[in-house]
Amino acid sequence: MNINLDKIDFSRADPGKMRDHLLNFSNYCQDAWDLASDFALPSYFIKYRKIVFLGMGASGIVGEFLKDLLSSSSAIVECVHDYDLPAWVDKETLVIALCHSGNTEEVLYAFVSAYEKNAKLMAITTGGKLESLCSKYRAPIIKYQIICEPKLAFSYLLIIPYVILVKIGLLDHNKDEFEKNLLNVSALIKKISTDIHIAVNPAKDLASKIFSLPIHIISSGNLRAAGIRFSDSINENAKNLCSYYFLPEINHTLVAGLENPQEVIVKSIFIFFESKFSRPEIKRRINITAAVMNNNKVQYIRIDFSQASDKLSEILQSVIFSDYVGMYLGFLNQVDPTSAKIVESIKDELSK
């Protein structure tokens, strides 16, 4: 059955109203900026140069974005998507829990462990058990209010800790720059929202091109984590199997596998997420890798965000774009993009 993305019955296809949350992406970012800006950060946070982000799934991926943004800073940064902390976590470490629900098992275990190691703690959440732990440990907490799936709270989970890192002195950003970021994001949303025809809507166009194909995302540099988020969006929103890879690593591994099995490779499509802030060597590797794919008759698409004014702008644009693509692909697959039944069933089993 062919689905026309320009004639979607949203009451049936999108009962969770993902489209409305995506349309409000910029507003959520602004609200998050204001929340964090008004937060009185403990003065002793400024001295910390070892940072650990705790989080799982759509909340946890935010830590990877922050790690990428901190790559040129003096900080030692680690992201924990598990129960256990690195052995080096101690009283000189700032541990920030990123958890939409506040009830994710792995995050709670790691948060307690961080307290036992005398680390300094902070949480960004809507509440739950994590809020109770913050009260018990007298740890700073920034709560935001939004009723949605964790994946749709990305704006809050990214921007709030981003502003905290600016206050600590590990990142450099100001209100004027941020307002410019949001203007760029809003301009992109106007081009890819649901009321824009597929002929001039790059997100709808991409979803239609990758529909029914095995999908592989390749990213690097500032968009390393964006590649993971894009893959997650396709897996979770479209219920469509997707994998991700990183440059330059794939030039030493994956490219060797582009020969077999041919019946799978000819049906696969690779999507390059290209950062304008990548070093010249990476840009050259993308060109060479694309040429290799041409020679092996492998389908690929190259995507960049040339209008991005800085690294944060590029990340925000990449995320909203990939979320729209995931939603549209979900419509084509005739699934509810906001649902996560299998994920929830696993959580239910673990809670027994």
Side-chain angles (χ1 to χ4, degrees), residues 4 27 82 105 115 120 160 209 220 257-258 275 305-306 312 319 323:
N4 187 336
N27 294 331
D82 205 335
E105 182 177 273
Y115 174 76
K120 290 297 179 288
I160 291 174
K209 287 178 178 177
S220 59
L258 293 178
S275 171
F305 303 91
S306 59
L312 180 62
V319 168
D323 281 2

Side-chain angles (χ1 to χ4, degrees), residues 28 144 148 318:
Y28 295 159
Y144 59 91
C148 65
S318 72

Side-chain angles (χ1 to χ4, degrees), residues 141-291:
I141 179 173
I142 299 181
K143 289 179 60 179
Y144 59 91
Q145 301 297 326
I146 182 174
I147 300 174
C148 65
E149 293 292 315
K151 59 193 173 188
L152 297 174
F154 178 88
S155 302
Y156 290 94
L157 289 162
L158 176 72
I159 299 302
I160 291 174
Y162 185 89
V163 175
I164 296 304
L165 294 170
V166 170
K167 288 187 174 186
I168 290 174
L170 291 173
L171 292 174
D172 184 20
H173 214 85
N174 61 49
K175 185 177 180 180
D176 290 341
E177 292 170 334
F178 186 67
E179 288 177 352
K180 185 176 181 180
N181 295 159
L182 295 191
L183 286 175
N184 289 336
V185 171
S186 296
L188 176 59
I189 291 174
K190 287 181 179 179
K191 294 178 181 178
I192 61 177
S193 60
T194 55
D195 59 333
I196 303 301
H197 193 280
I198 189 171
V200 290
N201 187 323
K204 285 183 179 179
D205 179 60
L206 180 59
S208 66
K209 287 178 178 177
I210 64 179
F211 174 54
S212 78
L213 298 177
I215 304 164
H216 309 277
I217 310 297
I218 299 173
S219 61
S220 59
N222 187 54
L223 293 184
R224 179 193 69 91
I228 305 175
R229 170 78 184 200
F230 196 0
S231 176
D232 290 348
S233 179
I234 291 173
N235 280 306
E236 191 175 355
N237 300 343
K239 317 301 184 287
N240 198 119
L241 192 62
C242 180
S243 58
Y244 63 87
Y245 307 91
F246 305 125
L247 274 165
E249 179 63 26
I250 65 164
N251 288 163
H252 302 269
T253 51
L254 178 135
V255 291
L258 293 178
E259 297 183 22
N260 295 291
Q262 275 297 308
E263 61 271 21
V264 174
I265 293 171
V266 295
K267 295 179 180 179
S268 298
I269 188 161
F270 289 79
I271 301 175
F272 289 92
F273 243 17
E274 301 182 37
S275 171
K276 67 184 290 185
F277 302 103
S278 290
R279 57 191 300 153
E281 293 87 349
I282 292 295
K283 294 179 179 179
R284 185 164 180 260
R285 282 182 178 274
I286 292 174
N287 291 332
I288 293 172
T289 305

